[in-house]
């Protein structure tokens, strides 16, 4: 439990694990642990079920196809990062499966609950008392005005944090209803108001919808539906009170850089602590009636019917046709500049345009897609709205665009195999109760990844990986199941040996790939540091070290070009940036650097040609248009 909670917090504090060094380090650690466990015979602790093998093969196939697509991708450097990230997810999946015994899902779920609650506490504390944290949300708002008023720290993206908070609510609701400890049940309910406030402050519609869907799944699959509803009612009532109080502190919520935000933060910190303490005391006082609370089948069905009718009325009242029209409408420049797109603001934040472009990219290469990391340059070249997007904001659409129908089929196989295994286990006569919350966590992860780029945030999508491993691995198989007959066991043992050999090979490849990425990133950081200190020779050497480690990547050669430019050696700078362009031919920013270096080298014709090339790759960029107008 402690390791899972620690991993949640560590990845969240590392910016959600978005940077290559973060997920490469995570992949290196998890695969090293897998390798060590296999070598010492500590794992697997139980025979991996067929569902886990099928799901793992789908994820491994996705990693292999991502690597294969480097053959037709236009940016092998960033494409290699995609491979390492997917291998890290595969490693986490394998680690959970082989480290679990039958019926042992609860420690994993407990670790997620504790870790995600800690992330919520850090997020709120950083907004209430930002000074020790360096005013993270305010600093981000200065460089990206659209995030003003949204809670982003520590993950660095409001929708990513919202997804994590939705998962936390599900986990807390489960332990509030199922834990044998009175203190744990009470603490789980007491934590809900703070987690719900963090979710509310992200201003994320997707996060709230994902939380609602997951709670509905959790209650539907049971068991202990009455307890779940009763504990959720108490926790959400306290959350509603806390949110209502927070809404009276407008500057804290919507303008963290304002003069009054600090005082309002002090107030909200005190209010939150008091309300959480009061909820803890009240839940403990009401423990016996809540544990004994029951709802008849007839009453339950009536309540479900009323809620269903209310949902239909709400949908009709919201005018879904108008909502869809608003979703399709591209946000204006003013909305993007001021951040007037969010939970209570309407619009689709450009998602319809992102998805439409992804479909166009798929249509241009339906079999294998445009190659891993290929969506970004395709968007810049074909976009119709001036949004500098680097993701399709949907793992479904982005996979379809970059890896074609083959990649999409593997992604569907991954989620589909988990869903089928979950349904079968929940319908089994000896169903493990903890399969319910694991399925709810899977719903959160799929809902978030389907409409956003949470796949690129290991702190967020890692929760989905753990849920998938629990639902397909031994952890949600009844511990009472008997052992297979000796003949079958012998056959399984042979397959297990062959699978172990393959797994060892995959582990070694993953460790090497992760290590290579980490070493290259270290060399690049060393080069940038040396350049900042004016140590040109050291900066050149470190950049060349990165080139030796990743000769296929554009970034090390770009860094070398920048160092030579700093030294005034424009001939070498232009040669290096040219080599970088050869390795990332669709990256318009490299063309802009080449234009700048050509101009510095008194070659206006070459500079103009590079500007034209940049304009072809990004025809709607206002800065490029302005530079071309000035040049002419």
């Amino acid at each position: 439990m402690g390791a899972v909670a620690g991993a949640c917090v560590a990845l969240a504090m590392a910016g959600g694990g978005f940077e290559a060094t973060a997920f490469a380090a995570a992949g290196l650690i998890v695969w090293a642990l897998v390798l060590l466990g296999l070598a010492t015979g500590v794992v697997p602790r139980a025979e991996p079920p067929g569902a886990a093998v099928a799901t793992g093969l789908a994820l491994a196939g996705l990693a292999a196809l991502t690597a294969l697509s480097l053959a037709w991708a236009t940016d092998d450097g960033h494409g290699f990062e995609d491979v390492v990230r997917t291998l890290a997810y595969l490693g986490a999946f394998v680690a959970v499966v082989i480290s679990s015994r039958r019926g042992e899902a609860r420690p994993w779920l407990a670790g997620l609950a504790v870790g995600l609650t800690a992330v919520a506490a850090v997020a709120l504390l950083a907004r209430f008392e930002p000074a020790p944290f360096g005013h993270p949300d305010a600093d981000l708002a200065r460089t990206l005005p659209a995030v003003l008023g949204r809670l982003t720290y520590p993950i660095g993206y409001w929708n990513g944090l919202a997804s994590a908070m939705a998962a936390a609510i599900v986990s807390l609701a489960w332990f509030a209803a199922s834990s044998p400890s009175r203190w744990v049940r009470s603490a789980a309910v007491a934590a809900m108001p703070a987690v719900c406030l963090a979710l509310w402050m992200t201003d994320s519609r997707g996060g709230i919808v994902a939380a609602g869907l997951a709670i509905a799944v959790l209650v539907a699959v049971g068991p202990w539906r009455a307890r779940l509803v009763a504990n959720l009612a108490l926790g959400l009532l306290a959350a509603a009170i806390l949110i209502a109080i927070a809404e009276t502190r407008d500057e804290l919520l919507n303008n963290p850089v304002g003069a009054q935000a600090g005082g309002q933060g002090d107030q909200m910190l005190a209010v939150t602590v008091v309300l959480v303490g009061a909820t803890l005391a009240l839940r403990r006082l009401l423990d016996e009636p809540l544990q004994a609370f029951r709802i008849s089948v007839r009453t339950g069905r009536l309540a479900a019917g009323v809620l269903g009718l209310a949902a239909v009325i709400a949908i009709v009242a919201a005018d879904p046709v108008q909502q869809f029209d608003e979703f399709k409408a591209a946000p204006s420049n003013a909305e993007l500049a001021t951040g007037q797109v969010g939970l209570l603001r309407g619009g689709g934040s450009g998602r319809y345009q992102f998805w439409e472009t992804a479909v166009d990219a798929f249509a241009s290469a339906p079999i294998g897609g445009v190659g891993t990391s290929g969506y970004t340059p395709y968007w810049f070249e074909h976009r119709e709205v001036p949004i500098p997007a680097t993701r399709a904001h949907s793992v479904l659409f982005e996979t379809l665009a970059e890896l074609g129908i083959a990649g999409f089929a593997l992604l569907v196989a991954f989620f589909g195999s988990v869903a089928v295994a979950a349904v079968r286990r929940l319908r089994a006569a000896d169903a493990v109760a903890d399969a319910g919350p694991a399925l709810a966590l899977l719903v959160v992860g799929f809902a978030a990844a389907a409409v956003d780029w949470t796949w690129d945030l290991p702190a967020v999508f890692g929760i989905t990986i753990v849920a998938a491993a629990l639902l397909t691995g031994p952890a949600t198989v009844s511990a009472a199941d008997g052992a297979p007959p000796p003949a079958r066991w012998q056959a399984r043992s042979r397959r297990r040996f062959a699978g172990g050999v393959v797994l060892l090979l995959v582990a070694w490849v993953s460790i090497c790939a992760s290590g290579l990425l980490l070493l290259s990133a270290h060399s690049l950081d060393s080069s940038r540091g040396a350049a900042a200190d004016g140590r040109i020779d050291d900066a050149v050497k470190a950049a060349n070290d990165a080139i030796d480690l990743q000769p296929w990547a554009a970034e090390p050669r770009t860094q070398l070009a920048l160092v030579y430019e700093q030294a005034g050696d424009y001939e070498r700078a232009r040669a290096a940036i040219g080599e970088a362009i050869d390795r990332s031919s669709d990256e318009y920013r490299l063309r802009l650097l080449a234009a700048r270096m050509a101009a510095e080298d008194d070659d206006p014709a070459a500079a103009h040609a590079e500007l034209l090339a940049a304009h072809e790759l990004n025809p709607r960029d206002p800065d490029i248009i302005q530079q071309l107008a000035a040049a002419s």
Side-chain angles (χ1 to χ4, degrees):
M1 183 184 81
V4 177
C8 284
V9 175
L11 280 172
M13 297 302 293
F18 175 74
E19 295 296 334
T21 50
F23 62 74
L28 182 64
I29 292 170
V30 74
W31 276 114
L33 291 174
V34 168
L35 193 62
L36 180 62
L38 290 172
T40 58
V42 174
V43 294
R45 301 173 72 191
E47 187 75 13
V53 175
T55 304
L57 287 175
L59 195 55
L62 196 60
L65 182 60
T66 303
L68 182 63
S69 75
L70 293 175
W72 60 87
T74 58
D75 187 346
D76 290 349
H78 287 106
F80 182 71
E81 293 178 4
D82 290 345
V83 175
V84 173
R85 183 191 294 107
T86 309
L87 286 173
Y89 287 148
L90 177 62
F93 177 84
V94 170
V96 176
V97 169
I98 66 177
S99 300
S100 302
R101 288 196 178 100
R102 291 189 171 196
E104 201 181 54
R106 181 153 292 238
W108 297 96
L109 295 172
L112 290 176
V114 172
L116 293 173
T117 302
V119 172
V122 170
L124 290 177
L125 190 59
R127 175 60 66 92
F128 296 160
E129 303 293 338
F133 297 88
H135 300 265
D137 287 327
D139 288 344
L140 184 59
R142 292 189 184 97
T143 57
L144 188 61
V147 309
L148 191 67
R150 293 180 169 99
L151 192 65
T152 62
Y153 186 80
I155 288 177
Y157 181 45
W158 59 93
N159 286 327
L161 179 60
S163 178
M165 294 303 95
I169 293 169
V170 168
S171 302
L172 291 172
W174 175 247
F175 281 99
S178 67
S179 175
S181 167
R182 184 178 184 179
W183 278 110
V184 172
R185 294 193 296 267
S186 301
V189 174
M192 285 185 195
V195 175
C196 288
L197 177 60
L199 172 58
W200 181 263
M201 289 176 64
T202 61
D203 200 17
S204 170
R205 291 166 293 176
I208 292 179
V209 170
L213 290 174
I215 288 173
V217 169
L218 186 62
V219 173
V221 301
W224 306 308
R225 295 182 180 90
R227 290 186 201 170
L228 278 167
V229 171
N231 282 286
L232 275 167
L234 179 57
L236 294 180
L237 176 61
I241 295 172
L242 186 60
I243 290 171
I245 296 172
E247 282 293 320
T248 64
R249 274 71 177 173
D250 182 73
E251 196 144 354
L252 174 67
L253 264 63
N254 300 312
N255 185 24
V257 298
Q260 298 180 11
Q264 292 179 359
D266 295 338
Q267 298 167 11
M268 277 307 302
L269 177 59
V271 169
T272 302
V273 171
V274 170
L275 188 63
V276 167
T279 306
L280 176 65
L282 180 61
R283 173 59 182 78
R284 193 171 188 280
L285 182 66
L286 298 175
D287 184 70
E288 290 186 9
L290 286 174
Q291 285 296 98
F293 184 67
R294 296 291 184 271
I295 300 176
S296 67
V297 174
R298 182 177 180 180
T299 302
R301 289 175 178 173
L302 179 62
V306 171
L307 289 174
L309 180 61
V312 171
I313 293 173
I315 291 172
V316 173
D319 193 350
V321 175
Q322 180 183 351
Q323 293 292 328
F324 184 64
D325 289 339
E326 291 181 0
F327 175 78
K328 291 196 300 181
S332 66
N333 290 337
E335 288 174 330
L336 292 170
T338 59
Q340 295 303 309
V341 180
L343 172 61
L344 304 178
R345 305 168 186 172
S349 304
R351 275 173 177 74
Y352 184 82
Q353 288 71 34
F354 302 153
W355 299 347
E356 190 176 40
T357 303
V359 172
D360 291 341
F362 163 71
S364 70
I367 304 301
V370 296
T372 182
S373 287
Y375 175 81
T376 301
Y378 192 92
W379 164 257
F380 279 115
E381 186 174 354
H382 298 89
R383 62 178 176 167
E384 296 181 358
V385 291
I387 302 177
T390 58
R391 300 292 187 278
H393 287 68
S394 168
V395 69
L396 300 174
F397 283 104
E398 188 161 327
T399 301
L400 196 64
E402 295 187 346
L403 301 179
I405 194 65
F408 186 77
L410 287 167
L411 187 66
V412 170
F414 169 73
F415 281 109
S417 60
V418 179
V420 170
V423 170
R424 286 179 175 174
R425 293 186 181 186
L426 286 166
R427 295 178 63 182
D430 57 350
V432 175
D434 290 327
L439 178 60
L441 291 176
L442 182 76
V443 169
V444 170
F446 177 77
V451 298
D452 224 313
W453 50 274
T454 53
W455 169 275
D456 296 306
L457 292 168
V460 180
F461 197 77
I463 302 168
T464 311
I465 293 294
V466 173
L470 295 178
L471 288 167
T472 60
T476 52
V477 174
S478 174
D481 283 355
R488 285 184 60 195
W489 176 259
Q490 189 176 20
R492 285 189 179 186
S493 296
R494 289 194 293 267
R495 290 198 300 269
R496 180 174 171 180
F497 175 78
V501 172
V502 173
L503 199 56
L504 286 172
L505 292 175
V506 174
W508 275 117
V509 170
S510 302
I511 288 171
C512 291
S514 299
L516 195 64
L517 191 56
L518 281 173
L519 289 173
S520 178
H522 174 72
S523 295
L524 285 172
D525 288 341
S526 298
S527 178
R528 295 184 185 107
D533 294 338
R535 296 181 285 110
I536 300 300
D537 291 342
D538 291 339
V540 169
K541 181 180 182 304
N544 279 317
D545 288 342
I547 290 172
D548 292 338
L549 290 165
Q550 286 198 85
W552 56 80
E555 189 175 5
R557 296 177 190 276
T558 303
Q559 173 59 21
L560 182 62
L562 292 173
V563 173
Y564 281 136
E565 181 188 31
Q566 179 180 337
D569 191 344
Y570 300 122
E571 182 179 355
R572 289 185 176 179
R574 293 176 65 183
I577 202 65
E579 292 176 354
I581 290 172
D582 290 341
R583 287 156 178 80
S584 184
S585 57
D586 287 347
E587 176 53 73
Y588 78 94
R589 298 177 187 86
L590 297 181
R591 297 288 184 174
L592 291 177
L593 286 176
R596 186 180 74 192
M597 293 172 185
E600 291 168 338
D601 198 26
D602 295 324
D603 191 347
H608 187 69
E610 295 292 355
L611 273 178
L612 287 174
H615 179 63
E616 289 180 3
L617 295 173
N618 190 1
R620 291 186 177 272
D621 188 282
D623 292 334
I624 297 176
I625 295 172
Q626 185 177 1
Q627 290 183 53
L628 281 172
S632 60

